[in-house]
Each structure stands twice: as C-alpha cells, then as structure tokens.
C-alpha cells in the first residue's frame, strides 16, 4: 500500500489524494504548498461567484441558475475549508495536551 502524503481541494467538496510517489517530483509537495493551493482554489471560486453575481446584476448574464450554481460551489468550498481548519486545530490541541 502506498503512503498518502498530499491532498488538495480540486472542486467544491472533492478532495484529491495523491500517493507519495506522485508527490515526490512536484514543487508543491509540502503541507504548506498543498494548503496554499487549496486556499487559492477556494478564493478563485469565491471570485467567480462574485463576478457572476455582478454580471447578473449588470445584465451581462441572464442565466440565474448558473449564478446560483457558482455561488453554491463557492459556499461549499468555504464550508469545507473551515471544517478542515477546525479539524487541524483540534488535532493540534489534542497533541499539545498529550503527556510525555
């Protein structure tokens, strides 16, 4: 069984897990790089949803369903990110409370 070392948010609510062998040759193989990549993806989704909303309000876009889908994708990605941060902080606190 291959070791799992890298995860990244690829779409709202979808997590991509790559084996250690695949992560070795990549520039963003560190935890910080993976986190940076995931946060930039969430930020991109938020910006796309904001732009779609502005386009709808200005009349450039007339497909309300597309705007709602983009907004929901951004919201789900943000909720997922908040949950991951919460779990990481909880794990850190659990480790810091361990007696040595």
């Amino acid at each position: 069984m291959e070791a799992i070392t890298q995860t990244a948010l690829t779409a709202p609510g979808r997590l991509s897990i790559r084996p250690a062998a695949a992560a070795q040759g990549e520039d963003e193989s560190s935890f910080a790089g993976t986190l940076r990549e995931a946060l930039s993806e969430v930020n991109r989704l938020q910006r796309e949803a904001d732009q779609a909303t502005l386009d709808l309000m200005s009349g450039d876009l007339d497909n309300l369903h597309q705007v709602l889908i983009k907004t929901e994708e951004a919201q789900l990605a943000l909720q997922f990110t908040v949950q991951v941060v919460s779990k990481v902080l909880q794990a850190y606190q659990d480790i810091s409370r361990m007696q040595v």
Side-chain angles (χ1 to χ4, degrees):
M1 183 175 249
E2 295 182 37
I4 297 173
T5 61
Q6 188 175 24
T7 58
L9 186 65
T10 58
R14 294 191 185 133
L15 197 59
S16 170
I17 301 174
R18 289 178 242 159
Q24 296 286 335
E26 297 178 7
D27 293 335
E28 297 287 323
S29 63
S30 68
F31 178 75
T34 303
L35 185 60
R36 188 177 311 113
E37 181 183 316
L39 290 176
S40 67
E41 177 69 15
V42 171
N43 188 38
R44 183 187 63 78
L45 289 170
Q46 292 287 333
R47 285 183 296 175
E48 284 180 4
D50 289 344
Q51 186 60 46
T53 302
L54 290 174
D55 289 346
L56 182 68
M57 289 175 21
S58 67
D60 294 338
L61 185 66
D62 60 352
N63 190 350
L64 177 62
H65 293 116
Q66 192 67 25
V67 174
L68 292 175
I69 289 170
K70 286 186 180 285
T71 303
E72 190 64 27
E73 284 178 350
Q75 181 181 1
L76 287 173
L78 184 60
Q79 287 176 353
F80 178 75
T81 303
V82 169
Q83 289 297 317
V84 168
V85 168
S86 175
K87 290 293 182 181
V88 168
L89 288 175
Q90 182 181 4
Y92 173 78
Q93 290 171 350
D94 290 345
I95 290 170
S96 68
R97 286 187 217 135
M98 284 183 184
Q99 294 181 2
V100 198

